[in-house]
């Protein structure tokens, strides 16, 4: 079953509670079990503490999830506001060892929850931790628990198997639940813009239909000057998000590469890029 057909998490939770006394527990493999999210949340909180992150309160957000990783961890997302035209999808933690990106999106979700006036005419969907198995392993890893680089696993036309250690693209295209999760979010919410946050290359990289004269690219150049990060248009790799979403599906796809993967820099980065995240939907293509 795809994400599109599922009701909200709270509804599933309710159904689950109702069905226990009737001994008719729904059979989907993705069915949420009571306490499952709480277990994940407490594992995350313990890790946040180790990273020195204090001001994240993930249980206050209405997270949804329908998919899990090999490590049985939920692939969570939250949505804010309603719009069919202005929809932005934010992704982080695709590479599990790039900690600040994960902080930024958990923090952004908290910030949006408190400030609903910021998205009265738009919709913002946040998936703060695409690769929880990599993020929560010790030491943290770039790849998922099967050693796959999720950013080489998208089913692009030119996908090919790369066996290079850190960039292993998987046994076949779209083999990983973390990849399927991101595609399901694109199919369900039909974002006009995607922002994927990584580190530590320190630059912006854009893939998509905007030309150099498009206002989005012009704006990105301006933002890049203000934030002191260069604006680049890298080559697109087989199986990458930029290739799949930007080139093949024609969605404006921005990769923000933070200048470092140092966890303690995360709050500073959030303050630095918050405005940009909120502005990104208010530009014409
Ligand atoms: Zn990365």
């Amino acid at each position: 079953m795809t994400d599109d057909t599922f009701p909200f998490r709270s509804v599933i939770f309710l159904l689950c509670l109702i069905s226990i006394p009737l001994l008719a527990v729904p059979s989907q493999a993705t069915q949420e079990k009571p306490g499952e999210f709480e277990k994940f949340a407490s594992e995350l909180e313990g890790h946040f503490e180790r990273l020195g992150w204090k001001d994240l309160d993930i249980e206050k957000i209405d997270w949804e999830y329908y998919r899990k990783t090999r490590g049985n961890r939920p692939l969570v997302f939250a949505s804010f506001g309603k719009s069919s035209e202005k929809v932005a999808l934010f992704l982080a933690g695709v590479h599990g060892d790039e900690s600040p990106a994960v902080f930024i999106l958990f923090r952004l979700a908290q910030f949006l929850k408190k400030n609903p006036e910021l998205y009265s005419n738009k919709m913002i969907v946040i998936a703060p931790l695409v690769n929880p198995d990599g993020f929560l392993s010790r030491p943290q890893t770039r790849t998922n628990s099967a050693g796959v680089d999720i950013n080489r696993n998208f089913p692009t036309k030119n996908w090919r198997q790369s066996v290079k250690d850190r960039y292993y693209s998987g046994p076949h295209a779209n083999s990983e639940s973390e990849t399927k999760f991101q595609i399901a979010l694109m199919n369900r919410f039909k974002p006009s813009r995607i922002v994927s946050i990584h580190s530590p290359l320190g630059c912006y990289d854009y893939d998509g239909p905007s030309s150099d004269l498009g206002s989005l690219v012009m704006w990105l150049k301006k933002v890049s000057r203000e934030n002191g990060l260069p604006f680049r248009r890298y080559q697109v790799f087989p199986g990458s998000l930029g290739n799949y979403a930007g080139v093949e599906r024609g969605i404006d796809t921005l990769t923000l590469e933070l200048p470092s993967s140092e966890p303690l820099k995360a709050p500073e980065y959030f303050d630095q890029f918050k405005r940009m995240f909120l502005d990104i939907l208010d530009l014409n293509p």
Side-chain angles (χ1 to χ4, degrees), residues 258-279:
L258 301 164
S260 114
S261 297
E262 166 55 52
L264 293 176
K265 287 267 190 191
E268 182 190 314
Y269 291 151
F270 176 73
D271 291 338
Q272 189 179 350
F273 295 101
K274 179 174 68 186
R275 184 73 258 161
M276 183 201 128
F277 297 152
L278 297 173
D279 285 346

Side-chain angles (χ1 to χ4, degrees), residues 214-224 276 279-280 283:
S215 64
L216 177 68
V217 170
M218 298 289 277
W219 172 78
L220 279 171
K221 286 182 174 165
K222 180 176 152 280
V223 166
S224 115
M276 183 201 128
D279 285 346
I280 199 159
L283 298 142

Side-chain angles (χ1 to χ4, degrees), residues 207-260:
D207 296 298
S210 264
S211 69
D212 273 338
L213 295 171
S215 64
L216 177 68
V217 170
M218 298 289 277
W219 172 78
L220 279 171
K221 286 182 174 165
K222 180 176 152 280
V223 166
S224 115
R225 282 193 298 276
E226 286 165 5
N227 277 315
L229 294 188
F231 177 75
R232 300 221 171 95
R233 297 184 83 164
Y234 278 116
Q235 61 166 120
V236 286
F237 297 99
S240 74
L241 173 79
N243 194 346
Y244 177 77
V247 176
E248 294 193 2
R249 292 184 66 157
I251 305 169
D252 287 319
T253 303
L254 175 69
T255 302
L256 165 59
E257 278 275 355
L258 301 164
S260 114

Side-chain angles (χ1 to χ4, degrees), residues 138-156:
R138 293 200 216 173
Q140 291 168 234
T141 59
R142 172 186 176 88
T143 56
N144 72 357
S145 61
V148 178
D149 179 346
I150 301 307
N151 205 34
R152 296 291 181 275
N153 188 242
F154 281 95
T156 58

Side-chain angles (χ1 to χ4, degrees), residues 70 146-149 151-176 237-240:
R70 275 192 192 76
V148 178
D149 179 346
N151 205 34
R152 296 291 181 275
N153 188 242
F154 281 95
T156 58
K157 292 186 189 105
N158 63 353
W159 187 89
R160 59 172 185 262
Q161 195 168 47
S162 150
V163 291
K164 271 202 290 179
D165 233 17
R166 280 166 51 76
Y167 306 99
Y168 174 50
S169 56
H172 55 86
N174 201 21
S175 57
E176 304 306 297
F237 297 99
S240 74

